[in-house]
Amino acid sequence: MTWNELVTSALLGTARRTPQKPAAALLDAAAIETVRRRAGARPATARARPEPAPEDPRPPLPPAARRRLAQLLADRTGGGARRSAAPDLTELLPQWLAAANRHGYQAPPALLPALLEAARARTDLRPEALVLGGPGARWLAGLNPQWKYALRTGPITPPATKGHPDTRTWEEGLFAERAAFLTSLRRSDPAAARELLAQAWATERAEDRLMFLDVLREGLSPEDEPFLERTLSDRSRNVRATAAELLSALPGSALAARMADRARSCVSLDRTGGGEGPRITVEAPHECDKEMERDGVAVRPPSGRGQRSWWLSQIVEAAPLVTWRERFGGRTPAEIVALPVTDGWQPELHAAWCRAAVRQRDAEWARALLGPASEPPAAEGSSWRDPAKLLTALPAEERAEWVARFVSAHGLSDAFRLLGVCAVPWAEPLGRAIVDALDTARDAGSYPWSFSGVMGLAERCLDPAQADRLEVLTAHPHEAEAGGAPAAQGSGAAYWEEAFQRLVGTLRLRATMLAELAERPGEARQG
């Protein structure tokens, strides 16, 4: 019987197959046929061996840091929904990768598969993981389709010869590869990146033109103005709007001058207010002409927004802020912001100035619009200010000091977004203000889980050197007011105690991790 006949007999049963064959005989025949088939098989042609992985000249990790990376990669799935007093290793892996890359280490070859797998599951890890993995990670990704993301998003080496880049990736790569190449070239040679984009501009899709244009934000300079001015005539409205936004961030551009002229015709200083003193008057545009539309002013307002106020806000936002010092008799930004505005135009005007301060990175205007940190925060939706965005226009140290004063005055309820724009690790005044506010919330019997987000930020952002000072916070507050209840009871007290223990433990572990990465060959760690 042939192999197919044997299989059919086995499937149907020996009693139902003609000619009938005892089961034992069927198995014997199958065994013989198996040997015959295997003996007659010809060996497959061997595939060519892959090229060896490129050499990585960077130094290897110190032994303790290598063991730490293996531990972090092994525990990257986390410990379940409920957190304990132990540090959360899944949140430490991004910090460890960033710190290792600052030292310029390479990943151990044996850990490359686990590193690529971790980055496949978490997109936030990919930039740092692929830098640490280096050429070995990209080589290994070429052998496994599950890791092909590394070939699309991996770091592109800047061209070695300035002004003469190797453009094969730009001409033949996927969109993500081309975007990464253009970003890298922009950092090393801004003019070459701009020229490369200009040459391919007419053949690119609208959505790709928009993304490529965004690359010019980094290193934006007056040399980019001619290209951006031509882009104002692009057939895509979104591309035109982005080009206008970039041009308005260049105070000396022709578009900025045109917007300044329009803004001056809309906003002026009225000195005839009698005893009330000078005040700002506003006359919003009555139409949006073709020239305004070409300069990025959107004609149709969002739902619920008036046309004239919509046009006004776009004009003021795009006008250079130096316009207003000249317009209002040399007054400082703080003095201008303090002037009354007639006919209820203040929220619209000040909101546009806020966006202009952020776009033009003007710290003096940002300070004036932020005001004192001690002022109570306005109810959500009722304020024209966005402190989190305004803070980005301030130097990092000043930003942290303002948020520290805000937290000291108002607690943590409205501070979460503000903390997100502060440099890590937090400066000592900010870290102290955060810890004091958490301690105050615990003593006041506040609902503990409402502060879990801030506590998680503190674990990642506090300076590890603060761990010893925070040890006292891990004690359980047993003392009670005379005749009253403890400051925090039941599961709330247990949560606070556990959270502070985890905070201190995480800070100490972060300090240990940084020390391991700083070790030099031949050094031995104690304890």
Side-chain angles (χ1 to χ4, degrees):
M1 299 176 68
T2 64
W3 180 258
N4 289 336
E5 290 173 332
L6 288 171
V7 171
T8 302
S9 295
L11 292 173
L12 296 177
T14 55
R16 300 176 57 188
R17 178 71 177 172
T18 301
Q20 295 182 358
K21 201 173 189 70
L26 177 68
L27 294 176
D28 288 343
I32 294 171
E33 181 65 13
T34 298
V35 173
R36 188 190 70 79
R37 284 161 56 90
R38 290 179 177 175
R42 293 183 177 180
T45 303
R47 292 187 298 175
R49 296 178 61 182
E51 292 293 326
E55 291 292 330
D56 193 337
R58 297 176 297 174
L61 286 167
R66 185 192 184 285
R67 292 191 293 270
R68 182 70 63 190
L69 176 59
Q71 179 192 19
L72 294 173
L73 291 172
D75 293 344
R76 63 184 174 82
T77 55
R82 184 184 183 277
R83 301 187 69 184
S84 66
D88 186 351
L89 298 185
T90 61
E91 294 299 331
L92 294 180
L93 180 55
Q95 290 195 6
W96 188 97
L97 291 172
N101 286 330
R102 287 195 295 270
H103 284 277
Y105 291 125
Q106 63 165 289
L111 295 179
L112 283 177
L115 184 64
L116 286 167
E117 193 63 22
R120 183 173 75 92
R122 288 181 57 178
T123 56
D124 63 308
L125 295 178
R126 290 181 184 178
E128 298 289 358
L130 294 177
V131 170
L132 184 71
R138 291 178 61 80
W139 174 84
L140 198 59
L143 305 177
N144 186 343
Q146 289 188 323
W147 300 331
K148 62 183 179 182
Y149 72 84
L151 303 178
R152 297 194 301 265
T153 60
I156 304 295
T157 303
T161 306
K162 186 173 182 180
H164 300 282
D166 182 353
T167 60
R168 284 176 297 178
T169 301
W170 172 254
E171 295 164 355
E172 303 171 7
L174 301 173
F175 171 77
E177 295 173 321
R178 300 179 71 213
F181 177 85
L182 189 66
T183 300
S184 177
L185 183 60
R186 178 69 175 178
R187 291 169 182 165
S188 62
D189 192 344
R194 182 181 62 249
E195 291 305 315
L196 200 64
L197 181 58
Q199 292 169 11
W201 189 257
T203 60
E204 300 291 345
R205 301 182 304 167
E207 54 268 33
D208 292 351
R209 293 199 304 275
L210 181 62
M211 298 298 292
F212 290 145
L213 191 62
D214 209 52
V215 172
L216 299 186
R217 291 183 189 277
E218 186 170 356
L220 185 67
S221 69
E223 285 72 26
D224 299 318
E225 183 182 356
F227 171 71
L228 293 173
E229 188 71 29
R230 293 195 302 271
T231 309
L232 289 175
S233 301
D234 193 88
R235 54 187 180 274
S236 167
R237 181 174 61 83
N238 290 333
V239 171
R240 293 196 303 271
T242 301
E245 180 187 347
L246 293 173
L247 283 168
S248 67
L250 296 171
S253 68
L255 180 139
R258 295 192 294 270
M259 287 298 193
D261 289 339
R262 295 180 182 117
R264 281 190 287 265
S265 68
C266 295
V267 183
S268 60
L269 186 65
D270 180 10
R271 302 178 185 273
T272 63
E276 298 179 1
R279 55 187 181 173
I280 297 175
T281 60
V282 175
E283 181 65 29
H286 290 273
E287 65 173 348
C288 181
D289 56 34
K290 293 296 182 182
E291 290 301 315
M292 289 170 60
E293 192 173 352
R294 181 182 181 273
D295 284 348
V297 178
V299 179
R300 188 169 299 176
S303 177
R305 185 82 177 271
Q307 271 190 332
R308 296 181 65 199
S309 67
W310 172 239
W311 298 334
L312 173 75
S313 68
Q314 295 177 83
I315 290 171
V316 174
E317 178 182 349
L321 287 166
V322 296
T323 303
W324 307 113
R325 188 184 289 269
E326 302 165 357
R327 185 64 166 161
F328 297 133
R331 287 177 170 84
T332 66
E335 292 169 336
I336 294 171
V337 170
L339 289 171
V341 183
T342 62
D343 301 325
W345 281 105
Q346 179 180 358
E348 197 74 56
L349 182 62
H350 283 205
W353 280 340
C354 285
R355 293 190 294 273
V358 173
R359 181 184 295 186
Q360 298 172 36
R361 316 302 299 170
D362 194 307
E364 188 178 7
W365 271 90
R367 290 187 198 101
L369 292 161
L370 271 171
S374 57
E375 288 184 358
E380 187 174 354
S382 66
S383 175
W384 45 264
R385 292 191 304 174
D386 188 342
K389 289 185 177 179
L390 284 170
L391 283 167
T392 62
L394 299 181
E397 184 177 352
E398 184 179 354
R399 194 183 310 170
E401 291 173 354
W402 194 95
V403 177
R405 292 194 298 271
F406 182 93
V407 170
S408 298
H410 311 297
L412 297 167
S413 299
D414 298 291
F416 191 80
R417 287 187 66 231
L418 305 181
L419 294 173
V421 301
C422 294
V424 177
W426 289 335
E428 197 276 335
L430 176 58
R432 185 174 62 251
I434 297 299
V435 173
D436 289 345
L438 287 169
D439 196 23
T440 299
R442 175 178 66 173
D443 291 343
S446 298
Y447 190 63
W449 292 275
S450 61
F451 296 95
S452 59
V454 175
M455 189 67 80
L457 273 180
E459 292 174 20
R460 300 189 296 274
C461 302
L462 273 174
D463 189 336
Q466 301 294 318
D468 291 338
R469 189 176 69 84
L470 300 176
E471 181 68 39
V472 67
L473 298 177
T474 62
H476 180 76
H478 292 291
E479 295 80 14
E481 298 287 343
Q489 299 182 11
S491 60
Y495 171 88
W496 283 112
E497 182 180 1
E498 184 179 274
F500 280 120
Q501 289 175 353
R502 183 173 60 247
L503 174 59
V504 172
T506 301
L507 293 179
R508 286 180 173 157
L509 180 54
R510 285 174 54 204
T512 301
M513 287 165 41
L514 294 175
E516 291 169 348
L517 287 167
E519 285 182 10
R520 294 293 179 264
E523 291 182 352
R525 287 193 47 77
Q526 299 292 327

Short mmCIF file of all heavy atoms in Angstrom, two decimals, residues 128-181:
data_model
loop_
_atom_site.label_atom_id
_atom_site.label_comp_id
_atom_site.label_asym_id
_atom_site.label_seq_id
_atom_site.Cartn_x
_atom_site.Cartn_y
_atom_site.Cartn_z
N GLU A 128 15.14 54.61 23.06
CA GLU A 128 16.31 54.34 23.90
C GLU A 128 16.80 52.91 23.74
O GLU A 128 18.01 52.65 23.76
CB GLU A 128 15.97 54.62 25.36
CG GLU A 128 15.60 56.06 25.69
CD GLU A 128 16.79 57.01 25.62
OE1 GLU A 128 17.91 56.54 25.36
OE2 GLU A 128 16.60 58.22 25.82
N ALA A 129 15.87 51.96 23.59
CA ALA A 129 16.27 50.55 23.44
C ALA A 129 17.07 50.34 22.17
O ALA A 129 18.06 49.60 22.15
CB ALA A 129 15.04 49.66 23.46
N LEU A 130 16.68 51.00 21.08
CA LEU A 130 17.38 50.81 19.82
C LEU A 130 18.73 51.53 19.81
O LEU A 130 19.65 51.10 19.13
CB LEU A 130 16.51 51.29 18.67
CG LEU A 130 15.24 50.45 18.45
CD1 LEU A 130 14.39 51.03 17.33
CD2 LEU A 130 15.59 49.00 18.15
N VAL A 131 18.83 52.62 20.56
CA VAL A 131 20.15 53.25 20.70
C VAL A 131 21.09 52.32 21.46
O VAL A 131 22.24 52.12 21.06
CB VAL A 131 20.02 54.61 21.41
CG1 VAL A 131 21.40 55.15 21.78
CG2 VAL A 131 19.30 55.61 20.53
N LEU A 132 20.61 51.76 22.56
CA LEU A 132 21.46 50.84 23.34
C LEU A 132 21.78 49.60 22.53
O LEU A 132 22.92 49.11 22.56
CB LEU A 132 20.75 50.45 24.64
CG LEU A 132 21.57 49.58 25.59
CD1 LEU A 132 22.70 50.38 26.21
CD2 LEU A 132 20.69 48.98 26.68
N GLY A 133 20.80 49.07 21.79
CA GLY A 133 21.02 47.87 20.98
C GLY A 133 22.01 48.11 19.86
O GLY A 133 22.77 47.21 19.49
N GLY A 134 22.00 49.31 19.28
CA GLY A 134 22.97 49.66 18.26
C GLY A 134 22.88 48.80 17.01
O GLY A 134 21.83 48.24 16.68
N PRO A 135 23.99 48.64 16.30
CA PRO A 135 23.97 47.88 15.04
C PRO A 135 23.61 46.41 15.25
O PRO A 135 23.03 45.78 14.37
CB PRO A 135 25.39 48.04 14.50
CG PRO A 135 26.22 48.41 15.69
CD PRO A 135 25.32 49.20 16.58
N GLY A 136 23.94 45.85 16.42
CA GLY A 136 23.59 44.45 16.67
C GLY A 136 22.09 44.23 16.71
O GLY A 136 21.58 43.21 16.22
N ALA A 137 21.35 45.18 17.29
CA ALA A 137 19.90 45.05 17.36
C ALA A 137 19.29 45.12 15.96
O ALA A 137 18.38 44.35 15.64
CB ALA A 137 19.31 46.13 18.25
N ARG A 138 19.78 46.02 15.13
CA ARG A 138 19.24 46.13 13.78
C ARG A 138 19.59 44.89 12.95
O ARG A 138 18.78 44.43 12.14
CB ARG A 138 19.78 47.40 13.12
CG ARG A 138 19.23 48.68 13.74
CD ARG A 138 19.82 49.91 13.09
NE ARG A 138 19.53 50.01 11.68
CZ ARG A 138 18.38 50.46 11.19
NH1 ARG A 138 17.42 50.84 11.99
NH2 ARG A 138 18.19 50.53 9.88
N TRP A 139 20.79 44.36 13.15
CA TRP A 139 21.17 43.14 12.44
C TRP A 139 20.26 41.98 12.85
O TRP A 139 19.76 41.23 12.00
CB TRP A 139 22.63 42.80 12.75
CG TRP A 139 23.11 41.49 12.19
CD1 TRP A 139 23.58 41.26 10.94
CD2 TRP A 139 23.14 40.24 12.87
NE1 TRP A 139 23.91 39.93 10.79
CE2 TRP A 139 23.66 39.27 11.97
CE3 TRP A 139 22.79 39.82 14.15
CZ2 TRP A 139 23.83 37.94 12.31
CZ3 TRP A 139 22.97 38.49 14.49
CH2 TRP A 139 23.47 37.57 13.59
N LEU A 140 20.02 41.83 14.14
CA LEU A 140 19.18 40.75 14.63
C LEU A 140 17.73 40.93 14.18
O LEU A 140 17.03 39.96 13.85
CB LEU A 140 19.25 40.71 16.16
CG LEU A 140 18.79 39.41 16.85
CD1 LEU A 140 19.60 38.23 16.37
CD2 LEU A 140 18.92 39.56 18.36
N ALA A 141 17.26 42.19 14.12
CA ALA A 141 15.89 42.45 13.67
C ALA A 141 15.68 42.03 12.22
O ALA A 141 14.57 41.66 11.84
CB ALA A 141 15.56 43.92 13.85
N GLY A 142 16.74 42.07 11.43
CA GLY A 142 16.62 41.63 10.05
C GLY A 142 16.40 40.14 9.90
O GLY A 142 16.02 39.67 8.81
N LEU A 143 16.62 39.36 10.96
CA LEU A 143 16.43 37.91 10.91
C LEU A 143 15.10 37.47 11.51
O LEU A 143 14.79 36.28 11.46
CB LEU A 143 17.59 37.23 11.68
CG LEU A 143 19.00 37.59 11.22
CD1 LEU A 143 20.03 36.89 12.09
CD2 LEU A 143 19.20 37.20 9.76
N ASN A 144 14.34 38.40 12.08
CA ASN A 144 13.08 38.04 12.73
C ASN A 144 12.01 39.04 12.33
O ASN A 144 12.08 40.22 12.72
CB ASN A 144 13.26 38.03 14.25
CG ASN A 144 12.02 37.53 14.98
OD1 ASN A 144 10.93 37.47 14.43
ND2 ASN A 144 12.19 37.16 16.24
N PRO A 145 10.99 38.62 11.58
CA PRO A 145 9.96 39.57 11.13
C PRO A 145 9.23 40.26 12.29
O PRO A 145 8.71 41.36 12.11
CB PRO A 145 8.99 38.69 10.33
CG PRO A 145 9.80 37.50 9.92
CD PRO A 145 10.78 37.27 11.02
N GLN A 146 9.18 39.63 13.47
CA GLN A 146 8.48 40.26 14.59
C GLN A 146 9.19 41.52 15.08
O GLN A 146 8.58 42.34 15.76
CB GLN A 146 8.35 39.27 15.76
CG GLN A 146 7.36 38.15 15.49
CD GLN A 146 7.13 37.32 16.73
OE1 GLN A 146 8.04 37.07 17.51
NE2 GLN A 146 5.89 36.89 16.93
N TRP A 147 10.46 41.67 14.75
CA TRP A 147 11.22 42.83 15.19
C TRP A 147 11.48 43.81 14.06
O TRP A 147 12.38 44.65 14.15
CB TRP A 147 12.56 42.39 15.79
CG TRP A 147 12.40 41.48 16.98
CD1 TRP A 147 11.36 41.47 17.87
CD2 TRP A 147 13.31 40.47 17.42
NE1 TRP A 147 11.56 40.51 18.83
CE2 TRP A 147 12.76 39.87 18.58
CE3 TRP A 147 14.52 40.00 16.94
CZ2 TRP A 147 13.38 38.84 19.26
CZ3 TRP A 147 15.15 38.96 17.63
CH2 TRP A 147 14.59 38.39 18.78
N LYS A 148 10.71 43.73 13.00
CA LYS A 148 10.96 44.61 11.85
C LYS A 148 10.75 46.08 12.18
O LYS A 148 11.20 46.95 11.44
CB LYS A 148 10.07 44.20 10.67
CG LYS A 148 8.58 44.32 10.94
CD LYS A 148 7.78 43.82 9.74
CE LYS A 148 6.28 43.92 10.01
NZ LYS A 148 5.50 43.40 8.86
N TYR A 149 10.05 46.36 13.30
CA TYR A 149 9.90 47.77 13.70
C TYR A 149 11.26 48.44 13.87
O TYR A 149 11.41 49.65 13.64
CB TYR A 149 9.10 47.86 15.01
CG TYR A 149 9.86 47.40 16.22
CD1 TYR A 149 10.72 48.26 16.90
CD2 TYR A 149 9.76 46.09 16.67
CE1 TYR A 149 11.44 47.83 18.00
CE2 TYR A 149 10.47 45.65 17.77
CZ TYR A 149 11.31 46.52 18.42
OH TYR A 149 12.03 46.09 19.51
N ALA A 150 12.27 47.66 14.29
CA ALA A 150 13.59 48.24 14.52
C ALA A 150 14.23 48.71 13.22
O ALA A 150 15.05 49.63 13.22
CB ALA A 150 14.50 47.22 15.21
N LEU A 151 13.84 48.09 12.09
CA LEU A 151 14.39 48.50 10.81
C LEU A 151 13.72 49.77 10.32
O LEU A 151 14.28 50.51 9.51
CB LEU A 151 14.19 47.38 9.78
CG LEU A 151 14.79 46.03 10.16
CD1 LEU A 151 14.48 44.99 9.09
CD2 LEU A 151 16.29 46.15 10.36
N ARG A 152 12.49 50.03 10.80
CA ARG A 152 11.77 51.24 10.38
C ARG A 152 12.09 52.43 11.26
O ARG A 152 12.12 53.56 10.80
CB ARG A 152 10.26 50.99 10.40
CG ARG A 152 9.78 49.93 9.44
CD ARG A 152 8.28 50.01 9.29
NE ARG A 152 7.59 49.83 10.56
CZ ARG A 152 7.12 48.67 11.00
NH1 ARG A 152 7.27 47.59 10.25
NH2 ARG A 152 6.51 48.57 12.16
N THR A 153 12.29 52.18 12.56
CA THR A 153 12.42 53.29 13.50
C THR A 153 13.80 53.38 14.14
O THR A 153 14.00 54.18 15.03
CB THR A 153 11.38 53.15 14.62
OG1 THR A 153 11.60 51.89 15.30
CG2 THR A 153 9.98 53.15 14.06
N GLY A 154 14.71 52.52 13.72
CA GLY A 154 16.03 52.55 14.33
C GLY A 154 16.76 53.85 14.03
O GLY A 154 16.44 54.57 13.09
N PRO A 155 17.77 54.18 14.82
CA PRO A 155 18.51 55.42 14.60
C PRO A 155 19.26 55.42 13.28
O PRO A 155 19.83 54.41 12.88
CB PRO A 155 19.49 55.46 15.79
CG PRO A 155 19.62 54.04 16.22
CD PRO A 155 18.30 53.38 15.94
N ILE A 156 19.19 56.52 12.57
CA ILE A 156 19.90 56.67 11.30
C ILE A 156 21.20 57.43 11.57
O ILE A 156 21.20 58.51 12.15
CB ILE A 156 19.04 57.45 10.28
CG1 ILE A 156 17.68 56.75 10.09
CG2 ILE A 156 19.76 57.61 8.97
CD1 ILE A 156 17.77 55.40 9.47
N THR A 157 22.31 56.85 11.15
CA THR A 157 23.59 57.49 11.38
C THR A 157 23.71 58.74 10.52
O THR A 157 23.47 58.69 9.31
CB THR A 157 24.74 56.52 11.03
OG1 THR A 157 24.58 55.35 11.82
CG2 THR A 157 26.08 57.16 11.32
N PRO A 158 24.05 59.89 11.10
CA PRO A 158 24.19 61.10 10.30
C PRO A 158 25.24 60.92 9.22
O PRO A 158 26.21 60.17 9.39
CB PRO A 158 24.64 62.15 11.33
CG PRO A 158 24.19 61.62 12.65
CD PRO A 158 24.28 60.13 12.53
N PRO A 159 25.07 61.56 8.08
CA PRO A 159 26.04 61.41 6.98
C PRO A 159 27.42 61.87 7.40
O PRO A 159 27.57 62.85 8.12
CB PRO A 159 25.46 62.30 5.87
CG PRO A 159 24.52 63.23 6.57
CD PRO A 159 24.00 62.48 7.76
N ALA A 160 28.42 61.14 6.93
CA ALA A 160 29.79 61.43 7.35
C ALA A 160 30.32 62.68 6.65
O ALA A 160 31.12 63.42 7.20
CB ALA A 160 30.69 60.24 7.03
N THR A 161 29.85 62.95 5.43
CA THR A 161 30.36 64.08 4.67
C THR A 161 29.31 65.16 4.62
O THR A 161 28.26 65.00 4.03
CB THR A 161 30.72 63.64 3.23
OG1 THR A 161 31.61 62.54 3.30
CG2 THR A 161 31.36 64.79 2.48
N LYS A 162 29.57 66.26 5.28
CA LYS A 162 28.60 67.35 5.33
C LYS A 162 28.38 67.92 3.93
O LYS A 162 29.31 68.18 3.18
CB LYS A 162 29.10 68.46 6.27
CG LYS A 162 28.09 69.57 6.49
CD LYS A 162 28.58 70.54 7.54
CE LYS A 162 27.55 71.62 7.79
NZ LYS A 162 27.99 72.57 8.82
N GLY A 163 27.10 68.08 3.58
CA GLY A 163 26.75 68.62 2.28
C GLY A 163 26.61 67.58 1.21
O GLY A 163 26.07 67.86 0.14
N HIS A 164 27.06 66.34 1.46
CA HIS A 164 26.96 65.28 0.48
C HIS A 164 26.45 63.99 1.15
O HIS A 164 27.17 62.99 1.23
CB HIS A 164 28.32 65.02 -0.19
CG HIS A 164 28.86 66.23 -0.89
ND1 HIS A 164 28.42 66.63 -2.13
CD2 HIS A 164 29.78 67.15 -0.49
CE1 HIS A 164 29.08 67.73 -2.49
NE2 HIS A 164 29.90 68.07 -1.51
N PRO A 165 25.20 64.01 1.63
CA PRO A 165 24.69 62.84 2.33
C PRO A 165 24.39 61.70 1.37
O PRO A 165 24.11 61.90 0.19
CB PRO A 165 23.39 63.37 2.97
CG PRO A 165 22.96 64.48 2.06
CD PRO A 165 24.22 65.11 1.57
N ASP A 166 24.48 60.49 1.91
CA ASP A 166 24.06 59.31 1.17
C ASP A 166 22.54 59.25 1.24
O ASP A 166 21.96 58.99 2.29
CB ASP A 166 24.69 58.06 1.80
CG ASP A 166 24.33 56.79 1.02
OD1 ASP A 166 23.50 56.87 0.10
OD2 ASP A 166 24.87 55.72 1.36
N THR A 167 21.88 59.50 0.12
CA THR A 167 20.42 59.68 0.12
C THR A 167 19.65 58.42 -0.25
O THR A 167 18.47 58.50 -0.56
CB THR A 167 20.03 60.81 -0.85
OG1 THR A 167 20.49 60.46 -2.18
CG2 THR A 167 20.65 62.13 -0.42
N ARG A 168 20.29 57.26 -0.21
CA ARG A 168 19.57 56.05 -0.61
C ARG A 168 18.38 55.77 0.31
O ARG A 168 17.31 55.38 -0.15
CB ARG A 168 20.52 54.85 -0.62
CG ARG A 168 21.45 54.80 -1.81
CD ARG A 168 22.43 53.66 -1.70
NE ARG A 168 23.30 53.82 -0.54
CZ ARG A 168 24.23 52.94 -0.17
NH1 ARG A 168 24.40 51.84 -0.88
NH2 ARG A 168 25.00 53.17 0.88
N THR A 169 18.56 55.97 1.61
CA THR A 169 17.45 55.77 2.53
C THR A 169 16.31 56.73 2.22
O THR A 169 15.13 56.35 2.23
CB THR A 169 17.91 55.97 3.99
OG1 THR A 169 18.96 55.04 4.27
CG2 THR A 169 16.76 55.75 4.96
N TRP A 170 16.63 57.97 1.91
CA TRP A 170 15.61 58.96 1.59
C TRP A 170 14.88 58.60 0.30
O TRP A 170 13.67 58.76 0.17
CB TRP A 170 16.26 60.33 1.48
CG TRP A 170 15.36 61.40 0.95
CD1 TRP A 170 15.38 61.97 -0.29
CD2 TRP A 170 14.29 62.05 1.66
NE1 TRP A 170 14.40 62.91 -0.41
CE2 TRP A 170 13.71 62.99 0.78
CE3 TRP A 170 13.77 61.92 2.94
CZ2 TRP A 170 12.64 63.79 1.15
CZ3 TRP A 170 12.71 62.72 3.32
CH2 TRP A 170 12.15 63.65 2.43
N GLU A 171 15.60 58.08 -0.67
CA GLU A 171 15.00 57.80 -1.98
C GLU A 171 14.28 56.47 -2.03
O GLU A 171 13.30 56.33 -2.78
CB GLU A 171 16.10 57.84 -3.05
CG GLU A 171 16.73 59.21 -3.24
CD GLU A 171 18.03 59.17 -3.99
OE1 GLU A 171 18.49 58.02 -4.29
OE2 GLU A 171 18.60 60.23 -4.29
N GLU A 172 14.71 55.49 -1.23
CA GLU A 172 14.17 54.14 -1.36
C GLU A 172 13.46 53.62 -0.12
O GLU A 172 12.78 52.59 -0.18
CB GLU A 172 15.31 53.17 -1.71
CG GLU A 172 16.08 53.54 -2.97
CD GLU A 172 17.33 52.70 -3.14
OE1 GLU A 172 17.51 51.74 -2.35
OE2 GLU A 172 18.12 52.99 -4.06
N GLY A 173 13.62 54.29 1.02
CA GLY A 173 13.10 53.75 2.27
C GLY A 173 11.60 53.92 2.45
O GLY A 173 10.92 54.63 1.68
N LEU A 174 11.08 53.26 3.49
CA LEU A 174 9.70 53.46 3.91
C LEU A 174 9.55 54.85 4.53
O LEU A 174 10.55 55.51 4.83
CB LEU A 174 9.29 52.39 4.92
CG LEU A 174 9.39 50.93 4.43
CD1 LEU A 174 9.12 49.98 5.59
CD2 LEU A 174 8.42 50.68 3.29
N PHE A 175 8.29 55.26 4.73
CA PHE A 175 8.08 56.62 5.23
C PHE A 175 8.80 56.85 6.55
O PHE A 175 9.46 57.88 6.75
CB PHE A 175 6.59 56.91 5.39
CG PHE A 175 6.33 58.21 6.10
CD1 PHE A 175 6.47 59.40 5.43
CD2 PHE A 175 5.98 58.23 7.44
CE1 PHE A 175 6.26 60.62 6.07
CE2 PHE A 175 5.77 59.43 8.10
CZ PHE A 175 5.90 60.63 7.40
N ALA A 176 8.67 55.90 7.51
CA ALA A 176 9.29 56.09 8.82
C ALA A 176 10.81 56.18 8.70
O ALA A 176 11.45 56.97 9.41
CB ALA A 176 8.90 54.94 9.76
N GLU A 177 11.39 55.40 7.79
CA GLU A 177 12.84 55.46 7.58
C GLU A 177 13.24 56.80 6.98
O GLU A 177 14.25 57.40 7.37
CB GLU A 177 13.27 54.32 6.66
CG GLU A 177 13.07 52.94 7.26
CD GLU A 177 13.34 51.83 6.27
OE1 GLU A 177 12.99 51.97 5.08
OE2 GLU A 177 13.89 50.81 6.67
N ARG A 178 12.45 57.30 6.04
CA ARG A 178 12.75 58.58 5.42
C ARG A 178 12.62 59.71 6.44
O ARG A 178 13.44 60.64 6.46
CB ARG A 178 11.82 58.81 4.23
CG ARG A 178 11.92 57.77 3.14
CD ARG A 178 10.94 58.07 2.02
NE ARG A 178 11.35 59.23 1.26
CZ ARG A 178 10.50 60.09 0.69
NH1 ARG A 178 9.19 59.92 0.84
NH2 ARG A 178 10.94 61.12 0.01
N ALA A 179 11.58 59.64 7.28
CA ALA A 179 11.40 60.68 8.30
C ALA A 179 12.57 60.67 9.29
O ALA A 179 13.06 61.74 9.69
CB ALA A 179 10.07 60.46 9.02
N ALA A 180 13.00 59.46 9.70
CA ALA A 180 14.13 59.37 10.62
C ALA A 180 15.41 59.90 9.97
O ALA A 180 16.22 60.59 10.61
CB ALA A 180 14.32 57.92 11.07
N PHE A 181 15.59 59.60 8.69
CA PHE A 181 16.77 60.09 7.98
C PHE A 181 16.76 61.62 7.90
O PHE A 181 17.76 62.28 8.15
CB PHE A 181 16.82 59.49 6.57
CG PHE A 181 17.96 60.00 5.74
CD1 PHE A 181 19.21 59.42 5.82
CD2 PHE A 181 17.78 61.08 4.88
CE1 PHE A 181 20.26 59.89 5.06
CE2 PHE A 181 18.83 61.55 4.12
CZ PHE A 181 20.08 60.97 4.21
#
